[in-house]
Structures are given as C-alpha cells and as structure tokens.
C-alpha cells in the first residue's frame, strides 16, 4: 500500500524508535507498506484475505497452512497446544519444526513423537510431517491470542528476540529466549 489504510497499524507496543514497525511492514519495499497477507481481488473489486504469506509452510514446492497441522495435532489427547513454522535457513535448507506442549501429566517420549508424525502423515500427507517434533513448555501468543509463528520463524532464522517482539506484547515471553537458544543449538549442529 502506498496510501494509508483504515486497518493499518500506526506503531507497535514497546517500539519507541519504530524499528520493529518499519522492519515488519516496510523492509521489503522501502516506502511501501507490505502487510504480508495473501489477497485475491475479484472482478467486483471485493477482496478475499487468505492469510499470512510469510508464515505459510512450503515443503518441496507445496504450500501448506499451519492450521491444517494444528487441526490434527491438537486433537491428540496428549497434546494441549502446538506451533509449527517453516524457515529458510542461512545454509539454504528449509527447516520445518513442530513444537508441542504435552498435556498435563504426559511424558514426552519417542512413542508420542512417532504417534504425532503418523497422525499427520495419515490425515494430511507425508510432506506435512515436520523435520523434528520438539516438546516445549508453552506457545507464545500475541495478547489477542494469535500464535507467534512469524516472530519464532525470524528467531530461528537468526533474528534477535528484541527485534521481533516486545516482551509486554506477548504471553509467555520467556519462550522467545528459549527459541533463541534453540536456534543457537540448531546453527551449531546440535
């Protein structure tokens, strides 16, 4: 967009210098606001918003939605929440981890990991099966409840936590440091 839009945010919480705001919306095309949603403009000029373009999963050229994976994984009785991202890594690899919050009282073992992978493969496809399935304590979300797919993706790709999110603007901010540590271990080959 090159002109103001009614739903366009003016700033981000705890971003007094507008660094995260400018990096989020103006980094691809300087001076042009890019929100990151896929849209279709119909012949009658109505617009259908299909969802985030920067959080879509893309395995071997096949675009997938994270919601499809959530619908399978979060129906499993031993999983209470999940987060999946697809990240293009600096070495050229595409990495698709699935982070899961085990239900209370559940011990995360290889049996559960295999059950998750099998369910995804059977209900979706082999391409939907993540590269790794990692247990986590909580899924960070915006204060309105949206999973932090894009910020976590950027952290996995090497961005600093402070550059992708403000601590007061998310639930479970401690998880962002956990993802940064995960990214460090990933780049070290652990």
């Amino acid at each position: 967009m090159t002109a103001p839009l009614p739903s366009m945010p003016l700033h981000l919480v705890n971003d007094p210098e507008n660094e995260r705001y400018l990096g989020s919306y103006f980094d691809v095309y300087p001076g042009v606001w890019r929100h990151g949603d896929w849209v279709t403009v119909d012949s009658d000029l109505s617009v259908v918003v299909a969802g985030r373009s920067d959080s879509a999963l893309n395995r071997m050229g096949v675009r997938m939605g994270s919601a499809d994976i959530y619908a399978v994984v979060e129906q499993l009785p031993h999983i209470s929440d999940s987060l999946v991202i697809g990240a293009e890594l600096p070495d050229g690899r595409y990495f698709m981890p699935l982070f899961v919050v085990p239900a209370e009282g559940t011990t995360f073992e290889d049996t559960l990991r295999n059950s998750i992978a099998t369910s995804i493969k059977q209900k979706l496809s082999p391409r939907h099966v993540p590269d790794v399935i990692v247990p986590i304590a909580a899924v960070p979300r915006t204060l309105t409840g949206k999973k932090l797919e894009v910020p976590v993706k950027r952290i996995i790709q090497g961005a600093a936590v402070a550059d992708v999110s403000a601590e007061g603007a998310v639930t479970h901010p401690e998880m962002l440091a956990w993802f940064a540590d995960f990214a460090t271990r990933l780049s070290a080959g652990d």
Side-chain angles (χ1 to χ4, degrees):
M1 303 294 295
T2 57
L5 179 73
S7 63
M8 184 180 197
L10 301 176
H11 58 85
L12 300 176
V13 174
N14 294 332
D15 185 29
E17 302 298 319
N18 282 331
E19 291 176 10
R20 284 189 303 110
Y21 176 76
L22 294 172
S24 296
Y25 297 112
F26 293 93
D27 64 338
V28 176
Y29 308 107
V32 177
W33 184 65
R34 176 186 167 272
H35 185 72
D37 282 334
W38 289 111
V39 299
T40 303
V41 180
D42 292 330
S43 58
D44 65 356
L45 299 181
S46 62
V47 177
V48 176
V49 179
R52 298 290 302 193
S53 63
D54 49 5
S55 66
L57 306 171
N58 187 343
R59 296 291 297 266
M60 299 169 254
V62 176
R63 293 185 61 80
M64 302 176 261
S66 56
D68 297 329
I69 293 174
Y70 300 146
V72 172
V73 173
E74 293 172 17
Q75 293 298 313
L76 298 172
H78 299 295
I79 302 300
S80 64
D81 205 356
S82 62
L83 177 74
V84 65
I85 60 132
E88 301 79 6
L89 300 179
D91 65 5
R93 289 182 301 138
Y94 184 79
F95 181 58
M96 192 174 97
L98 171 64
F99 302 99
V100 296
V101 179
E104 190 173 330
T106 299
T107 302
F108 192 87
E109 299 174 342
D110 284 340
T111 306
L112 180 54
R113 183 179 278 116
N114 293 337
S115 174
I116 295 167
T118 299
S119 293
I120 293 170
K121 183 177 181 179
Q122 289 175 343
K123 294 182 178 167
L124 296 172
S125 80
R127 288 186 184 189
H128 286 80
V129 176
D131 295 316
V132 295
I133 302 172
V134 181
I136 59 174
V139 172
R141 297 175 184 271
T142 65
L143 298 180
T144 59
K146 182 179 174 186
K147 296 179 185 196
L148 292 185
E149 292 175 349
V150 174
V152 169
K153 173 182 176 173
R154 291 184 58 208
I155 291 168
I156 298 297
Q157 291 173 316
V161 170
D163 292 341
V164 300
S165 183
E167 188 171 308
V170 301
T171 64
H172 301 291
E174 74 282 0
M175 290 306 300
L176 299 179
W178 185 94
F179 285 111
D181 182 60
F182 178 85
T184 299
R185 288 181 282 136
L186 179 68
S187 66
D190 293 347

